[in-house]
């Protein structure tokens, strides 16, 4: 039996167990009314049974339980010899009306649930297209990522990341669109598409930053709202990691510097000279400063957006990422992000004021095998698993 079928079987068993509760209530209320003194009337409590059923069952089952409750009410009246009395008839009529209202509400709820499921399926499909999972191996690197969206029921928002192979090695981008949640998705989607195209057409990071600046500026000229002219931009961090040179080159366009984790619980933040954010029209490749840092085997880079370090606890204290991450320095990327995610969620109480994204990159020294393809599709077009909210995504072997 597949996991999917096991899930349905388990859900069916759960629903049957829940159905026993209203049936048991009907029996208990009926017996209690019969044995109670004549001045105590418990029959009206039978309406509780269809009301409880509507929480976990559909309209047909709810209507069936309502009919059973009416039958129990009629039995109580017959048992007492008052079935045709005005009091019992009024109770039966009231129970029928209330049961019918509960069934109608159940129908409306089910209709809204189906509509919400369709909307979510469309949103999830769009999210999968926008934010591809990072592969677990690229060149000599192991990667993992996690995304925590601020918007309720969303898997992505205004933060973005991507990685790709180029002639220079592996290139990675992580960025943060001004704003959060769904309104920022348009800019994030466009910048990811521009990166995936420009990463193969520019020899150096300054040229790549300039290309992204020009592309984003054209996009904002066409789609930026008039009342927000000049206020939309994207902070981004660009990385280039050669396969045969133990260094990492970085360009910051207004983005936070990553943390460099070395064996022995050594955590440091490089001092970068950031260029202006993308989209403000000031990123000239000549003025972009490239930082070069040692990045040896077993070193790990932790990239993050400001939603991580700006997450607050109940007392308004920001999340101390540098201090907390020191205890997990030696762990693989997936394990590292799993610990950071749990600690971050505990610190923020499960709620974020801004989208938060993290990427962990470790140099292994072993070159990853070429991407596996399916049905003759080119590398980077192989089937990938859909992203999930807040799940550590090690990705799949292969390259974009």
């Amino acid at each position: 039996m597949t996991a999917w079928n096991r899930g349905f079987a388990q859900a069916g068993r759960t629903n049957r167990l829940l159905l026993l509760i209203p049936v048991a209530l009907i029996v208990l209320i009926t017996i209690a009314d019969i044995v109670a003194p004549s001045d105590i009337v418990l029959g009206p409590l039978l309406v509780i049974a269809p009301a409880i059923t509507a929480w976990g069952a559909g309209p047909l089952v709810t209507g069936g339980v309502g009919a059973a409750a009416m039958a129990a009410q009629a039995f109580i009246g017959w048992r007492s010899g008052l079935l045709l009395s005005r009091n019992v008839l009024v109770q039966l009529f009231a129970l029928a009306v209330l049961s019918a209202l509960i069934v109608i509400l159940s129908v409306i709820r089910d209709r809204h649930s189906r509509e919400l499921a369709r909307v979510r399926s469309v949103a999830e499909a769009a999210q999968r297209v926008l934010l591809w999972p990072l592969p677990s191996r690229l060149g000599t690197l192991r990667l993992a990522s996690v995304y925590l969206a601020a918007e309720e029921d969303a898997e992505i928002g205004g933060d973005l990341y991507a990685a790709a192979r180029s002639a220079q090695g592996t290139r990675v981008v992580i960025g943060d669109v001004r704003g959060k949640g769904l309104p920022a998705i348009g800019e994030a989607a466009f910048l990811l598409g521009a990166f995936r195209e420009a990463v193969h057409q520019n020899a150096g990071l300054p040229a790549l930053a300039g290309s992204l600046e020009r592309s984003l500026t054209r996009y904002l000229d066409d789609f930026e709202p008039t009342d927000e002219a000049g206020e939309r931009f994207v902070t981004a961090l660009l990385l280039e990691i050669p396969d045969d040179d133990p260094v990492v080159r970085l360009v910051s366009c207004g983005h936070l510097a990553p943390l460099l984790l070395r064996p022995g619980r050594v955590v440091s933040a490089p001092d970068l000279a950031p260029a202006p954010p993308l989209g403000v029209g000031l990123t000239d490749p000549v003025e972009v400063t490239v930082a070069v840092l040692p990045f040896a085997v077993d070193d790990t880079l932790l990239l993050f957006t400001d939603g991580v370090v700006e997450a607050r606890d109940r007392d308004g204290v920001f999340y101390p990422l540098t201090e907390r991450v020191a205890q997990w320095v030696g762990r693989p990327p997936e394990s590292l992000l799993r610990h950071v995610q749990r600690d971050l969620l505990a610190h923020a109480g499960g709620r974020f004021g801004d989208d938060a994204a993290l990427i962990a990159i470790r140099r292994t020294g072993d070159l990853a095998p070429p991407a596996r393809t399916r049905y003759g599709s080119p590398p980077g077009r192989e089937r990938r698993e859909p992203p999930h909210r807040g799940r550590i995504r090690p990705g799949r072997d292969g390259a974009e």
Side-chain angles (χ1 to χ4, degrees), residues 150-151 157-159 176-185 352-355:
E151 289 285 344
D159 289 0
D176 185 0
V177 178
R178 179 185 178 273
K180 64 181 180 180
L182 299 179
I185 289 181
F352 295 92
D354 196 2
D355 303 313

Side-chain angles (χ1 to χ4, degrees), residues 265-343:
R265 294 196 173 186
V266 178
V267 181
S268 61
D271 186 13
L272 304 182
L278 301 174
V280 299
L282 299 177
T283 305
D284 185 342
V286 178
E287 300 175 356
V288 172
T289 301
V290 179
V292 181
L293 304 175
F295 188 51
V297 174
D298 292 335
D299 287 351
T300 300
L301 279 168
L302 182 62
L303 286 58
F304 54 92
T305 58
D306 56 7
V308 176
V309 293
E310 292 179 0
R312 299 172 182 262
D313 62 10
R314 294 181 179 179
D315 299 324
V317 178
F318 292 115
Y319 180 66
L321 177 62
T322 304
E323 300 174 10
R324 299 291 181 85
V325 80
Q327 57 189 314
W328 306 306
V329 165
R331 297 186 178 271
E334 297 87 353
S335 177
L336 172 64
L337 290 193
R338 189 176 298 113
H339 282 85
V340 174
Q341 179 186 352
R342 291 174 180 171
D343 193 51

Side-chain angles (χ1 to χ4, degrees), residues 134-152:
L134 295 182
S136 61
R137 292 290 305 273
L138 275 177
T140 59
L141 308 175
R142 288 185 60 182
L143 303 93
S145 61
V146 64
Y147 198 111
L148 298 168
E151 289 285 344
E152 189 71 20

Side-chain angles (χ1 to χ4, degrees), residues 120-141:
R120 284 179 174 173
S121 65
V122 173
E124 288 174 1
Q127 290 168 344
R128 295 170 196 165
V129 172
L130 171 58
L131 197 63
W132 299 351
L134 295 182
S136 61
R137 292 290 305 273
L138 275 177
T140 59
L141 308 175

Side-chain angles (χ1 to χ4, degrees), residues 183-373:
I185 289 181
E187 286 88 342
F190 179 84
L191 190 63
L192 284 172
F195 170 80
R196 293 178 181 127
E197 181 65 22
V199 72
H200 303 288
Q201 299 177 355
N202 296 274
L205 290 183
L208 176 59
S211 177
L212 295 178
E213 167 65 29
R214 292 189 296 274
S215 297
L216 188 60
T217 300
R218 288 193 297 268
Y219 172 85
L220 294 177
D221 288 341
D222 293 335
F223 298 103
E224 186 178 34
T226 305
D227 58 346
E228 296 185 11
E231 298 181 6
R232 307 292 285 270
F233 57 84
V234 180
T235 65
L237 180 68
L238 303 174
L239 290 83
E240 182 178 277
I241 307 174
D243 294 334
D244 53 359
D245 192 3
V247 299
V248 55
R249 304 182 184 95
L250 305 96
V251 164
S252 171
C253 297
H255 198 83
L256 299 170
L259 295 180
L260 181 59
L261 285 59
R262 289 196 167 99
R265 294 196 173 186
V266 178
V267 181
S268 61
D271 186 13
L272 304 182
L278 301 174
V280 299
L282 299 177
T283 305
D284 185 342
V286 178
E287 300 175 356
V288 172
T289 301
V290 179
V292 181
L293 304 175
F295 188 51
V297 174
D298 292 335
D299 287 351
T300 300
L301 279 168
L302 182 62
L303 286 58
F304 54 92
T305 58
D306 56 7
V308 176
V309 293
E310 292 179 0
R312 299 172 182 262
D313 62 10
R314 294 181 179 179
D315 299 324
V317 178
F318 292 115
Y319 180 66
L321 177 62
T322 304
E323 300 174 10
R324 299 291 181 85
V325 80
Q327 57 189 314
W328 306 306
V329 165
R331 297 186 178 271
E334 297 87 353
S335 177
L336 172 64
L337 290 193
R338 189 176 298 113
H339 282 85
V340 174
Q341 179 186 352
R342 291 174 180 171
D343 193 51
L344 179 61
L345 289 171
H347 178 87
R351 299 184 64 88
F352 295 92
D354 196 2
D355 303 313
L358 300 105
I359 302 176
I361 305 173
R362 168 173 288 190
R363 186 186 287 277
T364 65
D366 299 324
L367 192 63
R372 293 192 301 268
T373 60

Side-chain angles (χ1 to χ4, degrees), residues 28-41:
L28 291 175
I29 292 173
T30 301
I31 295 174
D33 190 278
I34 292 174
V35 302
S38 59
D39 59 330
I40 298 178
V41 180

